[in-house]
Amino acid sequence: MKILIIGGNGTIGNKVTAELKKRHEVVVAGRKSGDVNVDLASEGSIEKMFQDVPNLDAVISIAGATKWGNFEDLTEEDFYISIRNKLMGQVNLVRIGQRYLKDNGSFTLTTGILGEDPVKGSVGASMVNGGIHSFVIAAARELKRGLRINVVAPGLVEDAAERQGHLFPGHLPVTMKRTVSGYLRSVEGYVTGEVIRLY
């Protein structure tokens, strides 16, 4: 397969990229690094990315900025940062990308445990994660040409535990091997409309 991975150089992305490269052609996209650049907050940037990387069998998104902060301190614009990037960025990948993927291709989006088990300061991230879960379940019923869509929802991953563990008190890190397995299930399997929970 020819697979595009947005965020393929990140903490989770680099492990997913390394595993899929063993069997497939992988193109990495990122805001500032990768084989091609993309800004998820820009429809035009997403469209150009798909034009520059044709004949795709699968798209994986492991990207999308969110704004953290105490609920009482968050402004409307703070919420829109999470909405424009992580929520609508991934929705637009599918909305635009459905015209470019080959028949029977797949989309794999990324959320996380915060959609169901929020921590302090995560209200913006938790909100968009829940929205993406609902979007995937609904979009799977309407995509044409055999296209599939799933979302991988990891917990705190072990490679980020030292850096982010203090934000997730009491959470046991998820191994990178288990995390990668969720993406393999979505891309190389045949499931659709699933929230693949890894926690």
Coordinates of all heavy atoms in Angstrom, one line a residue, residues 69-110:
G69 N -5.8 24.0 29.6 CA -6.0 25.1 30.6 C -7.2 24.8 31.4 O -8.1 24.1 31.1
N70 N -7.2 25.5 32.6 CA -8.4 25.4 33.5 C -9.6 25.9 32.8 O -9.6 26.9 32.1 CB -8.2 26.1 34.7 CG -7.0 25.5 35.6 OD1 -6.8 24.3 35.6 ND2 -6.3 26.4 36.3
F71 N -10.7 25.2 32.9 CA -12.0 25.6 32.3 C -12.3 27.0 32.5 O -12.7 27.8 31.6 CB -13.1 24.6 32.7 CG -14.4 24.9 32.1 CD1 -14.6 25.1 30.7 CD2 -15.6 25.0 32.9 CE1 -15.8 25.4 30.1 CE2 -16.8 25.2 32.3 CZ -16.9 25.4 30.9
E72 N -12.2 27.5 33.7 CA -12.6 28.9 34.1 C -11.7 29.9 33.4 O -12.1 31.1 33.3 CB -12.5 29.1 35.6 CG -11.1 28.9 36.2 CD -11.0 29.0 37.7 OE1 -12.1 28.9 38.3 OE2 -9.9 29.2 38.2
D73 N -10.5 29.5 32.9 CA -9.6 30.4 32.2 C -9.7 30.4 30.7 O -9.2 31.3 30.0 CB -8.2 30.1 32.7 CG -8.0 30.3 34.1 OD1 -8.6 31.2 34.8 OD2 -7.2 29.5 34.7
L74 N -10.3 29.4 30.1 CA -10.3 29.2 28.7 C -11.3 30.2 28.0 O -12.4 30.3 28.5 CB -10.7 27.8 28.3 CG -9.7 26.7 28.6 CD1 -10.3 25.3 28.3 CD2 -8.4 26.9 27.9
T75 N -10.8 30.8 27.0 CA -11.7 31.7 26.2 C -12.3 31.0 25.1 O -12.0 29.8 24.7 CB -10.9 32.9 25.6 OG1 -9.9 32.3 24.7 CG2 -10.1 33.6 26.7
E76 N -13.3 31.6 24.4 CA -13.9 31.0 23.2 C -12.8 30.7 22.2 O -12.8 29.6 21.5 CB -15.0 31.9 22.6 CG -15.7 31.3 21.4 CD -16.8 32.2 20.9 OE1 -17.1 33.2 21.5 OE2 -17.4 31.8 19.9
E77 N -11.9 31.6 22.0 CA -10.8 31.4 21.0 C -9.9 30.2 21.4 O -9.5 29.5 20.5 CB -10.0 32.7 20.9 CG -8.9 32.6 19.8 CD -9.3 32.1 18.4 OE1 -10.4 32.5 18.0 OE2 -8.6 31.4 17.8
D78 N -9.7 30.0 22.7 CA -8.9 28.8 23.1 C -9.6 27.5 22.7 O -8.9 26.6 22.2 CB -8.8 28.8 24.6 CG -7.8 29.9 25.2 OD1 -6.9 30.3 24.4 OD2 -8.0 30.3 26.3
F79 N -10.9 27.5 22.8 CA -11.6 26.3 22.3 C -11.5 26.1 20.8 O -11.4 25.0 20.3 CB -13.1 26.3 22.7 CG -13.3 25.9 24.1 CD1 -13.5 26.9 25.1 CD2 -13.4 24.6 24.5 CE1 -13.7 26.5 26.5 CE2 -13.6 24.2 25.8 CZ -13.8 25.2 26.8
Y80 N -11.5 27.2 20.1 CA -11.4 27.2 18.6 C -10.1 26.7 18.2 O -9.9 26.1 17.1 CB -11.8 28.5 18.0 CG -13.3 28.8 17.9 CD1 -13.8 29.9 18.4 CD2 -14.1 27.8 17.3 CE1 -15.2 30.1 18.4 CE2 -15.5 28.0 17.3 CZ -16.0 29.2 17.8 OH -17.4 29.4 17.7
I81 N -9.0 26.9 19.0 CA -7.7 26.3 18.6 C -7.8 24.8 18.5 O -7.3 24.2 17.5 CB -6.7 26.7 19.7 CG1 -6.4 28.2 19.6 CG2 -5.3 25.9 19.5 CD1 -5.5 28.8 20.7
S82 N -8.4 24.2 19.5 CA -8.6 22.7 19.5 C -9.6 22.3 18.4 O -9.3 21.3 17.7 CB -9.2 22.3 20.8 OG -8.3 22.6 21.9
I83 N -10.6 23.1 18.2 CA -11.6 22.7 17.1 C -11.0 22.8 15.7 O -11.1 21.9 14.9 CB -12.9 23.6 17.3 CG1 -13.6 23.3 18.5 CG2 -13.8 23.5 16.0 CD1 -14.7 24.3 18.9
R84 N -10.3 23.9 15.5 CA -9.8 24.1 14.1 C -8.7 23.1 13.8 O -8.6 22.6 12.7 CB -9.2 25.5 14.0 CG -10.2 26.6 13.6 CD -9.5 27.9 13.2 NE -8.8 28.5 14.3 CZ -9.3 29.4 15.1 NH1 -10.5 29.8 15.0 NH2 -8.5 29.9 16.1
N85 N -7.8 22.8 14.8 CA -6.7 21.9 14.5 C -7.1 20.4 14.6 O -7.1 19.7 13.6 CB -5.6 22.3 15.5 CG -4.9 23.5 15.1 OD1 -3.9 23.5 14.3 ND2 -5.3 24.6 15.6
K86 N -7.3 20.0 15.8 CA -7.5 18.5 16.0 C -8.8 18.0 15.5 O -8.9 16.9 14.9 CB -7.3 18.1 17.5 CG -7.3 16.6 17.7 CD -6.8 16.3 19.1 CE -6.6 14.8 19.2 NZ -6.1 14.4 20.5
L87 N -9.9 18.8 15.7 CA -11.2 18.3 15.3 C -11.4 18.5 13.8 O -11.5 17.6 13.0 CB -12.3 19.0 16.1 CG -13.8 18.6 15.7 CD1 -14.0 17.1 15.8 CD2 -14.8 19.4 16.5
M88 N -11.6 19.8 13.4 CA -11.9 20.0 12.0 C -10.7 19.7 11.1 O -10.9 19.3 9.9 CB -12.3 21.5 11.8 CG -13.7 21.8 12.2 SD -14.9 20.6 11.6 CE -14.7 20.8 9.8
G89 N -9.5 19.7 11.6 CA -8.3 19.3 10.8 C -8.5 17.9 10.4 O -8.3 17.5 9.2
Q90 N -8.8 17.0 11.3 CA -9.0 15.6 11.0 C -10.3 15.3 10.2 O -10.3 14.5 9.3 CB -8.9 14.7 12.2 CG -7.6 14.8 12.9 CD -7.4 13.7 13.9 OE1 -6.8 12.7 13.6 NE2 -7.8 14.0 15.2
V91 N -11.3 16.1 10.5 CA -12.6 16.0 9.7 C -12.3 16.3 8.3 O -12.7 15.7 7.3 CB -13.7 16.8 10.3 CG1 -14.9 16.9 9.3 CG2 -14.2 16.3 11.7
N92 N -11.6 17.4 8.1 CA -11.3 17.9 6.7 C -10.3 16.9 6.0 O -10.4 16.8 4.7 CB -10.7 19.3 6.7 CG -11.7 20.4 6.9 OD1 -12.9 20.2 6.6 ND2 -11.4 21.5 7.5
L93 N -9.5 16.2 6.7 CA -8.7 15.2 6.0 C -9.6 14.2 5.3 O -9.3 13.7 4.2 CB -7.8 14.5 7.0 CG -6.5 15.2 7.4 CD1 -5.8 14.3 8.5 CD2 -5.5 15.3 6.2
V94 N -10.6 13.8 6.0 CA -11.5 12.8 5.5 C -12.5 13.4 4.5 O -12.7 12.9 3.4 CB -12.4 12.2 6.6 CG1 -13.3 11.1 6.1 CG2 -11.4 11.6 7.7
R95 N -13.0 14.6 4.8 CA -13.9 15.3 3.9 C -13.3 15.5 2.5 O -13.9 15.3 1.5 CB -14.4 16.6 4.5 CG -15.5 17.3 3.8 CD -16.0 18.5 4.5 NE -14.9 19.5 4.6 CZ -14.6 20.4 3.6 NH1 -15.2 20.3 2.5 NH2 -13.6 21.3 3.8
I96 N -12.1 16.0 2.5 CA -11.4 16.3 1.3 C -10.7 15.1 0.7 O -10.8 14.8 -0.5 CB -10.3 17.4 1.5 CG1 -11.0 18.7 1.9 CG2 -9.4 17.6 0.3 CD1 -10.0 19.8 2.5
G97 N -10.1 14.3 1.6 CA -9.4 13.1 1.2 C -10.2 12.0 0.5 O -9.7 11.2 -0.3
Q98 N -11.5 12.0 0.8 CA -12.4 10.9 0.2 C -12.4 11.0 -1.3 O -12.7 10.0 -2.0 CB -13.8 11.0 0.8 CG -14.5 12.3 0.4 CD -15.9 12.3 1.1 OE1 -16.6 11.3 1.2 NE2 -16.4 13.5 1.4
R99 N -12.1 12.2 -1.8 CA -12.1 12.3 -3.3 C -10.7 11.8 -3.9 O -10.7 11.6 -5.1 CB -12.3 13.8 -3.6 CG -13.6 14.4 -3.1 CD -13.9 15.7 -3.8 NE -12.8 16.7 -3.7 CZ -12.7 17.6 -2.7 NH1 -13.6 17.6 -1.7 NH2 -11.7 18.5 -2.7
Y100 N -9.7 11.7 -3.0 CA -8.4 11.3 -3.5 C -8.0 9.9 -3.3 O -7.2 9.3 -4.0 CB -7.4 12.3 -2.9 CG -7.5 13.7 -3.4 CD1 -8.2 14.6 -2.7 CD2 -6.8 14.1 -4.5 CE1 -8.3 16.0 -3.1 CE2 -6.9 15.4 -5.0 CZ -7.6 16.3 -4.3 OH -7.7 17.6 -4.7
L101 N -8.5 9.3 -2.2 CA -8.1 7.9 -1.9 C -8.6 6.9 -2.9 O -9.7 7.1 -3.5 CB -8.7 7.5 -0.5 CG -7.6 7.4 0.6 CD1 -7.0 8.7 0.9 CD2 -8.3 6.8 1.9
K102 N -7.8 5.9 -3.1 CA -8.2 4.8 -4.0 C -9.4 4.0 -3.4 O -9.6 4.1 -2.2 CB -7.1 3.9 -4.3 CG -6.0 4.6 -5.1 CD -4.6 3.9 -5.0 CE -4.6 2.5 -5.6 NZ -3.2 2.0 -5.6
D103 N -10.1 3.3 -4.3 CA -11.2 2.5 -3.8 C -10.7 1.6 -2.7 O -9.6 1.0 -2.8 CB -11.8 1.6 -4.9 CG -12.6 2.5 -6.0 OD1 -12.7 3.7 -5.8 OD2 -13.0 1.9 -6.9
N104 N -11.6 1.4 -1.7 CA -11.3 0.5 -0.5 C -10.1 1.0 0.3 O -9.5 0.2 1.1 CB -11.0 -1.0 -1.0 CG -12.1 -1.5 -1.8 OD1 -13.3 -1.5 -1.4 ND2 -11.8 -2.0 -3.0
G105 N -9.8 2.3 0.2 CA -8.8 2.9 1.0 C -9.3 3.1 2.5 O -10.5 2.9 2.8
S106 N -8.4 3.6 3.3 CA -8.8 3.8 4.7 C -8.3 5.1 5.3 O -7.2 5.5 4.9 CB -8.4 2.6 5.6 OG -6.9 2.6 5.7
F107 N -9.0 5.6 6.2 CA -8.6 6.7 7.1 C -8.5 6.2 8.5 O -9.3 5.5 9.0 CB -9.6 7.9 7.1 CG -9.8 8.5 5.7 CD1 -10.9 8.1 4.9 CD2 -9.0 9.6 5.3 CE1 -11.1 8.8 3.7 CE2 -9.2 10.2 4.1 CZ -10.2 9.8 3.3
T108 N -7.4 6.6 9.2 CA -7.2 6.4 10.6 C -6.9 7.7 11.3 O -5.9 8.3 11.0 CB -6.0 5.4 10.8 OG1 -6.3 4.2 10.1 CG2 -5.9 5.1 12.3
L109 N -7.8 8.1 12.2 CA -7.6 9.3 12.9 C -7.1 9.0 14.3 O -7.0 7.8 14.7 CB -8.9 10.1 13.0 CG -9.6 10.3 11.7 CD1 -10.9 11.2 11.9 CD2 -8.7 10.9 10.6
T110 N -6.7 10.0 15.1 CA -6.2 9.8 16.4 C -6.8 10.7 17.4 O -7.0 11.9 17.2 CB -4.7 10.0 16.5 OG1 -4.0 9.1 15.6 CG2 -4.1 9.8 17.9

